[in-house]
C-alpha cells in the first residue's frame, strides 16, 4: 500500500510494469572482476571440416544461463567457461508497449564483461500480453503463451522491439551473437519432428517464413 498526499494505492493497476529482477537483477557487490579489461577478440578458423571460434585465442566455451553470483562466476572461470548464453523472453523484456529496462540490462552486460565473460542472447518471441490482446483470433501454442509468430501485427512489434534490443546491446564488446526463437525451445518442437497439434505449428513453412522475416 502506497500513501501519497491522501491518496491510497492498494494494488497495482492492470497493465502495470512488473518487477524485472528475475530477468535483470541489480548488479551485486563483490563480483570477481578482472584486473584489466578483456578485449573479447573473436576469431573464426577452419579446422579440417569444422568451424572453430576463438575468443582472445581460447576456444569458445559456452554454458546456458548465467547468474551474477560470485560463486557461480568463479566456478565457471575455473572450468574454463568464457561465454554465457542468456535465455530471455520478449514478454519479460517489454511488458508494456515501448517499455524496456535498458539501463539495468546494460549494467549487467558490463558486469559480465568485467568478470571476463562474453554473452550470447537467446531471445524467445513469447509475446507480452498486450501483443496477444491485439490478435485475439490467432491460435495459441501449448500453454497459451505464444500466438503465431508470423502474424503481421506480431512481426511488426517484434521487429521494432528487436531493433531497440540490438541498439542497446550490440555496442558492448562482450556481446557476441543473438539467437532468436519462433516460440519453441528448439526446432524439435515443431511439426516436422513431433507432429505438434497446434495449427500454426503444423505450417511447413513457419520456420522459413520466420527466418525470412528476421532477414
Amino acid at each position: 500500500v502506497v500513501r501519497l498526499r491522501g491518496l491510497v494505492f492498494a494494488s497495482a493497476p492492470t497493465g502495470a510494469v512488473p518487477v524485472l529482477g528475475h530477468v535483470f537483477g541489480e548488479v551485486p557487490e563483490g563480483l570477481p572482476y578482472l584486473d584489466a579489461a578483456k578485449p573479447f577478440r573473436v576469431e573464426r578458423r577452419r579446422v579440417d571440416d569444422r568451424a572453430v571460434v576463438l575468443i582472445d585465442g581460447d576456444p569458445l566455451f559456452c554454458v546456458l544461463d548465467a547468474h551474477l553470483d560470485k560463486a557461480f562466476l568463479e566456478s565457471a572461470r575455473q572450468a574454463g567457461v568464457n561465454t554465457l548464453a542468456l535465455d530471455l523472453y520478449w514478454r519479460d523484456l517489454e511488458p508494456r508497449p515501448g517499455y524496456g529496462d535498458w539501463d539495468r540490462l546494460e549494467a549487467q552486460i558490463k558486469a559480465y564483461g568485467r568478470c571476463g565473460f562474453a554473452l550470447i542472447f537467446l531471445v524467445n518471441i513469447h509475446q507480452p500480453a498486450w501483443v496477444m490482446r491485439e490478435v485475439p483470433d490467432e491460435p495459441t501454442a501449448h500453454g497459451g503463451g505464444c500466438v503465431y509468430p508470423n502474424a503481421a501485427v506480431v512481426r511488426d512489434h517484434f521487429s521494432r522491439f528487436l531493433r531497440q534490443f540490438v541498439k542497446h546491446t550490440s555496442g558492448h564488446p562482450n556481446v557476441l551473437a543473438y539467437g532468436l526463437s519462433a516460440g519453441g525451445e528448439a526446432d524439435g518442437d515443431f511439426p516436422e519432428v513431433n507432429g505438434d497439434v497446434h495449427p500454426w505449428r503444423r505450417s511447413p513453412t513457419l520456420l522459413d517464413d520466420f527466418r525470412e522475416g528476421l532477414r
Side-chain angles (χ1 to χ4, degrees), residues 31-44:
L31 294 180
Y33 290 133
L34 300 177
D35 294 331
K38 190 175 173 66
F40 296 104
R41 292 186 301 267
V42 179
E43 180 184 358
R44 296 169 179 81

Side-chain angles (χ1 to χ4, degrees), residues 9-10 23 37 40 48 51 58-59 87 95 99 109 123 136 142 156 170 176-177 180 190:
F9 301 87
V23 180
F40 296 104
D48 298 326
D58 296 322
D87 200 8
Y99 175 87
I109 293 172
V123 183
H142 179 66
D156 288 347
S170 62
L176 299 190
L180 301 169
F190 286 88

Side-chain angles (χ1 to χ4, degrees), residues 141-197:
H142 179 66
C146 187
V147 301
Y148 187 57
N150 294 322
V153 170
V154 174
R155 179 179 289 183
D156 288 347
H157 282 308
F158 193 53
S159 298
R160 174 194 47 74
F161 163 75
L162 284 179
R163 290 188 186 98
Q164 287 297 308
F165 185 82
V166 172
K167 173 184 173 182
H168 286 278
T169 57
S170 62
H172 297 275
N174 62 319
V175 174
L176 299 190
Y178 302 89
L180 301 169
S181 167
E185 293 306 310
D187 285 2
D189 282 351
F190 286 88
E192 303 89 299
V193 177
N194 65 6
D196 195 298
V197 298

Side-chain angles (χ1 to χ4, degrees), residues 191-206:
E192 303 89 299
V193 177
N194 65 6
D196 195 298
V197 298
H198 298 285
W200 60 261
R201 287 191 173 174
R202 287 205 297 268
S203 167
T205 65
L206 186 148

Side-chain angles (χ1 to χ4, degrees), residues 20 93-96 98-103 161:
L20 298 184
L93 297 166
E94 192 182 23
R96 71 181 185 197
Y99 175 87
D101 201 347
W102 304 120
D103 290 343
F161 163 75

